Each structure stands twice: as C-alpha cells, then as structure tokens.
C-alpha cells in the first residue's frame, strides 16, 4: 500500500506533495479510516439485512450488527494504523500487547458512542413500521463513522501510539 501511495504522491504537483509531506500521518489516517469505514459499513449492512429478514427486533438487530461491524473494523484498524499511520514498531510482546490493549480499550469507548448514535438514529430516523430501513440505517452509520473517526484519531495520537520521544521528555 505504501508503494502505491508513494507513486501517486510522486505524480502530484510539488505544492500538493509538500502538503502531503507536512501532514502525512493525518492523510494516512484519513485513507486508512476510509478503508476501515468501508469494512465497518459492509459488516453493518449485511448483518442488518440478514437480521431484518430473520425478523429480529430492531434493538437486537442494531446491537448485533454494530458489534459485528465493530470487531471487524477495529481489528483491521489496529494493524493498519500501527503499520501505516503511526509507524509503530514494537520490539517486545509486552509492547505489542500494550498497544493492542490500549487500542481496543480506546475503541471500546467509541463503540458505546457508536451504539448510542446507531440506536437513536435507527429509532428516530431509520425505523418504519417497526422495521429498520437499511438505506436509512446506512445514513446513520455514515454520520456515526465521521464522529468516530475524529474521536479515534485523538485517542490513537494521544494515548495509544504516543511518540516515544514525547514520553522521554
């Protein structure tokens, strides 16, 4: 992925290359966040449609679909953020598991925020005749993902993948 991005950046005008280089981690976070959002949406909408067909009540449907979506997207996000965004290299298992635990803990906070947004959004916007309308739920999911993207970046930058130089100062 890095080679592809480097090639694309190399084709851009110099002013855009400077902009990229000045804020590379933010741009990479946006790219990885976009891919994570696609995974999250896919793993939200497919179970939502399946659980709706099975006739599950809307709150169980929302809870199960959001949980499945969260597990898939957070796992993808951990590895891509570690490697491509924050370029975190851990040399011990303890350091790796510390990052892993911190990442999942921070994401667990935003998971509950996402559940709240999804439940309220589905209840007030996406439910028609006691059934969740998938496209409306997708609109709520996209809105939730924007909020979650910003909060997760702050957690990752300030807590999980802290610059080791900052720790030493």
């Amino acid at each position: 992925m890095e080679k592809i991005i480097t090639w694309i950046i190399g084709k851009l005008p110099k002013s855009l290359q400077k902009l990229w280089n000045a804020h590379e981690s933010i741009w990479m976070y946006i790219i990885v966040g976009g891919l994570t959002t696609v995974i999250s949406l896919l793993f939200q909408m497919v179970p939502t449609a399946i659980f709706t067909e099975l006739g599950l009540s809307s709150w169980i449907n929302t809870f199960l679909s959001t949980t499945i979506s969260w597990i898939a997207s957070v796992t993808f996000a951990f590895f891509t953020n570690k490697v491509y965004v924050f370029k975190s290299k851990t040399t011990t298992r303890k350091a790796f598991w510390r990052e892993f635990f911190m990442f999942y803990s921070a994401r667990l906070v935003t998971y509950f925020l996402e559940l709240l947004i999804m439940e309220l959004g589905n209840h007030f916007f996406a439910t028609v005749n006691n059934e969740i309308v998938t496209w409306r739920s997708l609109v709520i999911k996209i809105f939730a993902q924007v909020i979650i993207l910003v909060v997760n970046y702050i957690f990752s930058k300030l807590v999980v993948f802290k610059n080791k130089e900052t720790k030493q100062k």
Side-chain angles (χ1 to χ4, degrees):
M1 183 161 104
E2 263 184 278
K3 287 181 182 180
I4 293 169
I5 292 171
T6 302
W7 180 83
I8 292 169
I9 299 306
K11 301 296 180 192
L12 294 174
K14 295 290 182 204
S15 59
L16 290 178
Q17 287 180 21
K18 279 184 176 181
L19 184 62
W20 172 270
N21 292 331
H23 306 286
E24 182 180 350
S25 73
I26 292 172
W27 294 117
M28 285 300 295
Y29 190 79
I30 291 169
I31 292 169
V32 167
L35 294 172
T36 302
T37 299
V38 169
I39 288 170
S40 182
L41 293 172
L42 178 67
F43 280 90
Q44 180 81 34
M45 294 302 101
V46 171
T48 296
I50 291 170
F51 296 148
T52 298
E53 267 311 299
L54 294 173
L56 291 179
S57 65
S58 66
W59 74 270
I60 292 174
N61 185 333
T62 300
F63 173 76
L64 289 175
S65 298
T66 303
T67 301
I68 291 166
S69 168
W70 183 83
I71 291 168
S73 61
V74 170
T75 302
F76 174 81
F78 171 73
F79 289 103
T80 54
N81 276 289
K82 180 175 177 44
V83 173
Y84 297 112
V85 178
F86 299 103
K87 298 181 186 336
S88 175
K89 293 177 175 40
T90 48
T91 55
T92 66
R93 285 184 184 165
K94 182 179 178 182
F96 172 83
W97 287 111
R98 180 206 162 276
E99 279 184 354
F100 187 85
F101 176 75
M102 294 294 290
F103 190 86
Y104 271 81
S105 296
R107 291 305 200 266
L108 194 57
V109 171
T110 57
Y111 164 74
F112 288 111
L113 176 60
E114 182 176 358
L115 266 179
L116 178 66
I117 294 168
M118 290 303 298
E119 185 58 41
L120 291 174
N122 280 344
H123 179 75
F124 291 109
F125 177 73
T127 301
V128 176
N129 297 327
N130 278 339
E131 205 171 277
I132 294 175
V133 178
T134 303
W135 75 266
R136 287 182 173 198
S137 185
L138 178 61
V139 171
I140 300 301
K141 183 68 174 185
I142 291 168
F143 171 76
Q145 289 304 296
V146 171
I147 303 298
I148 300 305
L149 183 78
V150 172
V151 175
N152 282 338
Y153 181 80
I154 293 167
F155 277 149
S156 292
K157 183 80 172 172
L158 300 178
V159 178
V160 180
F161 300 112
K162 285 194 283 191
N163 187 338
K164 289 168 181 67
E165 293 170 10
T166 306
K167 275 193 215 172
Q168 293 171 351
K169 288 183 181 178

